[in-house]
Amino acid sequence: MVAAGLISQAGHSDWLGLAFHAESDDWVELALPWKAELAADAQSGVLASGPIISLMDTAAGLAVCRRQNRIVQQVTVDLRVDYMRAARPGRTVIGRGECYKVTRSIAFVRGVAYDEDIDDPVAHVAGTFILLHETPA
Amino acid sequence: MNRPVILPPYALSLGFEIDHWDNGVPVLGCDFGPRVLGRPGFWHGGAISGFLEMAAVAAVQAALEPDDDSARRPLKPVNITVEFMRGGQEKRLYAIGRVIREGRRLANVSAEAWQDDRSRPIAMAQMHVMIGTA
């Protein structure tokens, strides 16, 4: 299963312009292209934090599917985002969501958002999702 | 008198607006539409989070004493934790922030979002906001 086909072409993800970027067995990267509508401040053009949360929530949800190799119906239970620095205006932000553990009903996720170097991230996230259908044993 | 609150381009383009004021604190409102849609029939969790964050920041803006030169003090999000209790239905969403503690440099804020019944929030957030100098 590849995550690329699971990205919604409608709704909030589509409005943000989220696009598939890369994936591995337990992580998925999405790209959030900069646009003026997403700014926190019209003058500086610095991206608001809301789009970063949406990016990371979406990438983490796809990582849960990627890890289990199937589409998993799930709902976010909680999500924590630490903002380390402002994203550089005009640059695409990449969000890497990783699912590092799945139990029968809960998926644990973490991730980073970065605009150039993954070792100099814009934000760190950690969260949990509840799976709406049980994982087969 | 209610202090001025400025919503950023992100908030305005998603349709966030000040619905009314509750004891000097702005209550934000936003109608449901394609821009906030997540899985079919529900608000996107990220859009709900962004909405809670705007309500939290607006509450800090409203609480700040205006500077002598009335310059606006820049507010920066440090972190946020969002909890989702119920799915957001295809209808208008409201949110209000509450400044728990306003320090010289850091504000601790909580926020709640609800639809029909304020006593049944669909999501809530805890946030730290850095208060800069103008």
Side-chain angles (χ1 to χ4, degrees), chain A residues 43-87:
Chain A
Q43 264 92 55
S44 70
V46 166
L47 214 57
S49 43
I52 308 268
I53 308 185
S54 295
L55 167 71
M56 299 312 297
D57 183 45
T58 308
L62 289 172
V64 175
C65 296
R66 188 67 186 79
R67 184 184 168 104
Q68 305 205 89
N69 251 329
R70 61 194 182 88
I71 296 171
V72 186
Q73 298 295 321
Q74 53 183 311
V75 175
T76 314
V77 174
D78 71 342
L79 195 64
R80 176 194 168 108
V81 187
D82 288 291
Y83 301 107
M84 261 88 71
R85 63 171 177 84

Side-chain angles (χ1 to χ4, degrees), chain A residues 10-13 15 36-42 48-51 53-54 57-58 74-83 132, chain B residues 8-11 13-14 34-39 44-47 49-50 53-54 77-85 127-128:
Chain A
H12 190 59
S13 301
W15 175 74
E37 275 176 286
L38 303 184
D41 176 69
S49 43
I53 308 185
S54 295
D57 183 45
T58 308
Q74 53 183 311
V75 175
T76 314
V77 174
D78 71 342
L79 195 64
R80 176 194 168 108
V81 187
D82 288 291
Y83 301 107
L132 299 185
Chain B
Y10 160 74
S13 50
L14 271 182
R35 289 180 172 198
V36 298
L37 172 73
R39 65 195 159 102
H44 190 287
S49 306
E53 195 172 78
M54 287 302 129
V78 177
N79 54 29
I80 184 167
T81 303
V82 187
E83 284 185 63
F84 301 91
M85 278 93 70
M127 191 176 182
H128 292 114

Side-chain angles (χ1 to χ4, degrees), chain B residues 11 27 45 55 80 124:
Chain B
V27 176
I80 184 167
M124 48 194 230

Side-chain angles (χ1 to χ4, degrees), chain B residues 82-103:
Chain B
V82 187
E83 284 185 63
F84 301 91
M85 278 93 70
R86 297 178 178 86
Q89 313 277 322
E90 290 176 301
K91 49 190 160 187
R92 191 166 174 84
L93 187 62
Y94 301 92
I96 189 168
R98 187 160 75 95
V99 179
I100 309 292
R101 176 183 177 268
E102 185 200 322

